[in-house]
Amino acid sequence: MKKKLMWLGGIVILVILVAFVFGFLFLGSVVKAGVEQVGPIVTKVPVKLEGAALSVFNGSGELKGFELGNPEGYKTPNAIKVGTVAVSVSPGSVFKDKVVIHSVRVEGPEITYETSLKENNLSKILANVQAMAGANQSPASPGGKGKKLQVDEFVISGGKIHLSATMLGGKSATLPLPEIRLSGMGQGPEGITPVEMTEKALGEIGRAHV
């Protein structure tokens, strides 16, 4: 069970990191619009954001009230809700081919794992993102080169996971989500794309908790 919880928690990385980084690249007052625009392209489900704060000068930013919807046919209100996401980026790198992210800290995520007879909501979202990876294009600029990334530290803490079954009409049981801490992704000269980095993170989580 712990291995599965860690794997499911890794999907938070998949969704939040891709959406937030590309939202951050829009800068200024349109970060919220950037996240809500890019998130659905990557995940094929609705994405909402309550608010965003950003300092261009020191590269720090924060998201509040991030919510990822469910694929069609699922009964629970959403797949992922996050209280706050804090990020620290090297400001000068934002305008280069490789964006250097010093840290991403996700506080209080709530993940809903809803299963039906054939599949579950999170595996469906993961399949949507992997389909984009197979298309070999950036969500920020389809068909283009796209940004490469480096993430020095990624931490998810204080999380919960709600287990639900579609046939039960969305009723769920709640368990704590173990802390997830990853580091040193994309530190080579070529960096890594957001989708590639997410897949790498999921693999590392699986190997670490066999």
Side-chain angles (χ1 to χ4, degrees), residues 100-181:
V100 178
I101 304 169
H102 297 308
S103 66
V104 178
R105 295 183 177 273
V106 182
E107 296 286 345
E110 294 190 34
I111 304 168
T112 298
Y113 175 76
E114 181 179 343
T115 181
S116 64
L117 293 176
K118 295 182 178 180
E119 59 182 0
N120 65 76
N121 59 335
L122 298 181
S123 64
K124 178 63 176 176
I125 294 171
L126 178 59
N128 292 340
V129 177
Q130 289 175 330
M132 169 164 284
N136 193 29
Q137 61 182 21
S138 162
S141 55
K145 180 179 178 181
K147 290 282 188 179
K148 294 297 183 70
L149 307 174
Q150 172 181 316
V151 177
D152 296 332
E153 182 183 54
F154 197 109
V155 180
I156 300 173
S157 61
K160 299 177 181 179
I161 184 163
H162 307 294
L163 305 177
S164 178
T166 303
M167 64 284 294
L168 298 179
K171 295 181 181 179
S172 63
T174 301
L175 296 171
L177 180 70
E179 181 178 272
I180 297 170
R181 185 179 296 268

Side-chain angles (χ1 to χ4, degrees), residues 51-71:
L54 170 68
S55 173
V56 178
F57 298 103
N58 62 20
S60 65
E62 184 179 68
L63 297 183
K64 291 185 177 180
F66 180 91
E67 184 174 328
L68 179 76
N70 264 324

Side-chain angles (χ1 to χ4, degrees), residues 32 35-36 40 46-50 64-69:
K32 180 179 183 294
V35 171
E36 293 181 335
V47 175
K48 297 180 181 179
L49 179 63
E50 181 180 323
K64 291 185 177 180
F66 180 91
E67 184 174 328
L68 179 76

Side-chain angles (χ1 to χ4, degrees), residues 8 14 18-19 26 51-52 65 68 84-85 108 113 168 176 182 207 209:
L8 294 176
L14 180 152
V18 174
F26 285 98
L68 179 76
T84 61
V85 181
Y113 175 76
L168 298 179
L182 301 169
R207 285 192 295 273
H209 297 276

Side-chain angles (χ1 to χ4, degrees), residues 181-201:
R181 185 179 296 268
L182 301 169
S183 61
M185 292 185 289
Q187 290 189 331
E190 297 299 321
I192 193 169
T193 68
V195 174
E196 289 170 344
M197 182 173 58
T198 298
E199 292 176 339
K200 176 180 173 65

